[in-house]
Amino acid sequence: MRLSQSFIPTLKETPKEAQITSHRLMLRAGLVRQTTSGIYAWLPTGLRVLRRISDIIREEQDRINAQEVLMPTIQSADLWRRSGRYDAYGPEMLRIQDRHQRELLYGPTNEEMITDLFGQSVKSYKDLPQVLYQIQWKFRDEVRPRFGVMRGREFLMKDAYSFDVDYASALTNYRRMLLSYLRIFQRLGVRAVPMRADTGPIGGDLSYEFLVLAPTGESSVFYDSTLEEQDWLAEAVDFNDPQALEEFFNRVTVPYAATDEVHDVEAWKAVPSDRKREGRGIEVGHIFYFSNKYTESMGITVSGHDGVPFHPEMGSYGIGVSRLVGAIIEAKHDENGIIWPDSVAPFRAVILNLKMGDADCDRVCECLYTSASQQFLYDDRSERAGVKFADADLMGHPWQIVVGPRGANAGVVELKRRATGERREVSVDEALTLVMAS
Ligand code: ATP
Ligand code: MG
């Protein structure tokens, strides 16, 4: 994309309404704009990041054989009356009436709808297990929308739902999801620590939240530092082997990690003091097993191998896709701007032409740009070098390819790595090779 022709409205001033760094940087780098309280429009670069995050989530959910669906955002109130949640949900639910005075709502989550879809089509234990997911907008009329996309009213969520014949099989799916989530967050370039969380009225201990550690997080967290140091992508756990998943799960969930809601002071005492970490975290994911709560309340049965009908076991598994954009920035920035991890960056690199109109500079830049124009942002504006450097740092591209007249004449460019600040002179070919390999 050529910056001179693009719609990337960066701001020099810090917007007053933004209280936290990620919100400020998202507005300043031109990723989003608020259209009304807690509702955001995603501009070209912001959308690219949202898509890259979604793509990684898709790859990892598909890997464990979860199947993608797309459910509507608008749901009927009757569906929610069947589970009893229409009245229970409260003012966070946006309730709507159509022209025939039929009651609808903008979905805050999809347990009822997926359970109904499942019940319409699955009649026998032979069709289990099933794991379905979607990446879809949700609406929750939060009392206090704040921190930009972090706590919005309309937000993008990946929500998955599992259906199983019995507890053992449901537990296997739950463990598989835990592994999938650890892989997803690591690939996104952030540390998200799995922590024991509140199970609410349903009870049990099968509720884990994934928290990105950041001082601006809304939850207080207590955890054993060993959980931060693991390389989950190096784990060779076979997703199809329940035994291997159990062994993995037991290993991961032994070190202490809890949000303040379920913090256990006695258990915390047993953690060696040099491994104790206390701080704040942003909830970016949540996995939850809830037995047959919805299949039972909504009257969904399938026939068992003995012919006797039963209510399948379920779990649900969420990831805050749009919240993650903010959470990643909270974890990856410096005083000059965003530092995108390679895996989610809107562009691999920015090409900075320091002297537009100089024959050598223009030639080298065009040559670089046309080699991968979809993946590069080309700063071809007639701006001072200082402005270009500042905007490049603000927008956080993993690499900056700096093209000045002297170097261009000799076929040399300066390559800067945003994360470390490291700079080096390399040939045009070498720059391309390094950038494309990351
Ligand atoms: P929170 O405690 O932050 O309100 P929640 O526990 O109500 O979240 P879940 O129902 O578990 O949220 O939804 C799954 C994921 O969706 C959360 O882990 C979070 O990342 C994201 N999410 C929830 N509410 C919002 C929101 N208002 N804005 C952006 N993302 C959200
Ligand atoms: Mg939650």
Side-chain angles (χ1 to χ4, degrees):
M1 194 182 286
R2 288 174 198 273
L3 193 47
S4 66
Q5 296 164 19
S6 70
F7 186 62
I8 307 179
T10 54
L11 303 173
K12 283 195 186 61
E13 306 298 320
T14 297
K16 277 189 216 62
E17 74 268 29
Q19 297 166 18
I20 60 169
T21 305
S22 59
H23 189 194
R24 282 196 283 273
L25 290 175
M26 287 183 75
L27 293 172
R28 285 194 55 212
L31 303 180
V32 292
R33 285 293 182 264
Q34 180 173 282
T35 61
T36 185
S37 171
I39 303 182
Y40 288 83
W42 291 80
L43 307 188
T45 29
L47 184 58
R48 276 175 175 249
V49 178
L50 209 53
R51 290 230 170 101
R52 295 205 71 191
I53 295 174
S54 303
D55 287 346
I56 288 175
I57 294 174
R58 263 193 198 99
E59 277 177 33
E60 292 298 330
Q61 293 281 276
D62 292 349
R63 183 194 296 278
I64 60 164
N65 295 327
Q67 302 159 81
E68 188 172 7
V69 296
L70 186 59
M71 290 178 269
T73 52
I74 305 294
Q75 309 186 19
S76 92
D78 285 343
L79 192 56
W80 284 65
R81 291 210 170 88
R82 278 171 63 193
S83 71
R85 277 212 294 183
Y86 188 66
D87 294 324
Y89 209 91
E92 271 193 15
M93 179 186 276
L94 181 64
R95 296 158 209 254
I96 309 166
Q97 240 181 30
D98 71 10
R99 65 202 296 165
H100 305 292
Q101 280 73 52
R102 278 188 294 248
E103 292 169 287
L104 302 171
L105 57 100
Y106 194 127
T109 179
N110 281 60
E111 280 83 6
E112 282 78 0
M113 188 174 277
I114 199 84
T115 305
D116 182 55
L117 286 167
F118 169 87
Q120 285 177 35
S121 309
V122 175
K123 300 294 170 202
S124 160
Y125 74 95
K126 287 183 199 141
D127 300 322
L128 294 174
Q130 290 288 344
V131 182
L132 303 170
Y133 77 97
Q134 68 168 351
I135 298 177
Q136 177 63 296
W137 295 91
K138 305 287 186 288
F139 195 97
R140 295 182 186 174
D141 202 354
E142 302 273 354
V143 206
R144 236 173 283 105
R146 57 181 189 156
F147 300 160
V149 299
M150 210 85 96
R151 184 166 295 285
R153 294 197 296 165
E154 188 185 48
F155 59 96
L156 190 60
M157 193 203 284
K158 186 285 301 185
D159 42 324
Y161 306 89
S162 61
F163 297 87
D164 281 280
V165 283
D166 55 23
Y167 177 70
S169 161
L171 195 54
T172 298
N173 262 328
Y174 180 87
R175 291 167 173 158
R176 201 175 271 138
M177 251 332 151
L178 178 104
L179 176 53
S180 182
Y181 273 40
L182 291 168
R183 291 181 56 94
I184 287 169
F185 294 120
Q186 188 168 335
R187 284 189 60 190
L188 295 177
V190 283
R191 283 276 158 206
V193 178
M195 304 199 181
R196 234 172 272 277
D198 198 5
T199 47
I202 300 159
D205 59 359
L206 289 176
S207 171
Y208 272 83
E209 288 176 354
F210 293 76
L211 288 104
V212 169
L213 306 160
T216 44
E218 292 184 294
S219 319
S220 301
V221 297
F222 304 82
Y223 65 97
D224 182 328
S225 64
T226 56
L227 279 166
E228 274 182 307
E229 294 147 14
Q230 313 276 344
D231 179 2
W232 308 114
L233 298 176
E235 296 276 349
V237 183
D238 178 356
F239 286 108
N240 295 311
D241 179 354
Q243 213 80 52
L245 284 167
E246 180 176 359
E247 183 275 330
F248 174 75
F249 182 81
N250 289 339
R251 200 149 41 81
V252 175
T253 58
V254 161
Y256 188 86
T259 60
D260 55 352
E261 287 171 344
V262 295
H263 184 46
D264 175 346
V265 179
E266 284 308 307
W268 183 234
K269 281 184 188 155
V271 179
S273 57
D274 60 326
R275 294 191 346 221
K276 275 190 175 132
R277 298 286 183 277
E278 264 185 72
R280 303 197 70 80
I282 302 164
E283 182 192 326
V284 290
H286 191 175
I287 59 176
F288 195 42
Y289 159 79
F290 43 74
S291 185
N292 56 15
K293 175 175 150 79
Y294 294 96
T295 46
E296 187 176 43
S297 61
M298 294 176 69
I300 303 296
T301 58
V302 304
S303 67
H305 51 266
D306 49 8
V308 179
F310 68 96
H311 302 296
E313 298 271 310
M314 287 178 67
S316 71
Y317 315 90
I319 293 182
V321 182
S322 49
R323 176 178 287 183
L324 264 164
V325 180
I328 292 170
I329 297 173
E330 283 300 320
K332 306 276 173 189
H333 69 267
D334 62 15
E335 65 283 2
N336 299 320
I338 302 169
I339 305 175
W340 289 119
D342 291 306
S343 60
V344 300
F347 299 95
R348 277 180 189 271
V350 62
I351 302 162
L352 302 180
N353 188 335
L354 297 192
K355 196 166 188 193
M356 287 298 294
D358 176 274
D360 292 321
C361 283
D362 291 356
R363 181 179 42 80
V364 167
C365 287
E366 287 295 332
C367 164
L368 280 163
Y369 178 61
T370 47
S371 70
S373 59
Q374 283 310 307
Q375 301 178 48
F376 289 160
L377 182 67
Y378 175 17
D379 192 342
D380 60 345
R381 298 172 301 171
S382 311
E383 287 281 0
R384 286 183 297 111
V387 171
K388 295 192 177 191
F389 287 131
D391 276 349
D393 278 354
L394 169 66
M395 288 191 256
H397 314 290
W399 298 97
Q400 297 171 12
I401 309 174
V402 185
V403 183
R406 242 187 324 119
N409 185 264
V412 169
V413 298
E414 190 185 58
L415 191 61
K416 177 182 160 187
R417 188 70 163 144
R418 176 69 177 90
T420 58
E422 186 200 340
R423 299 158 185 275
R424 53 177 149 158
E425 297 228 312
V426 291
S427 71
V428 173
D429 282 351
E430 213 178 322
L432 267 181
T433 309
L434 284 166
V435 168
M436 299 311 279
S438 62

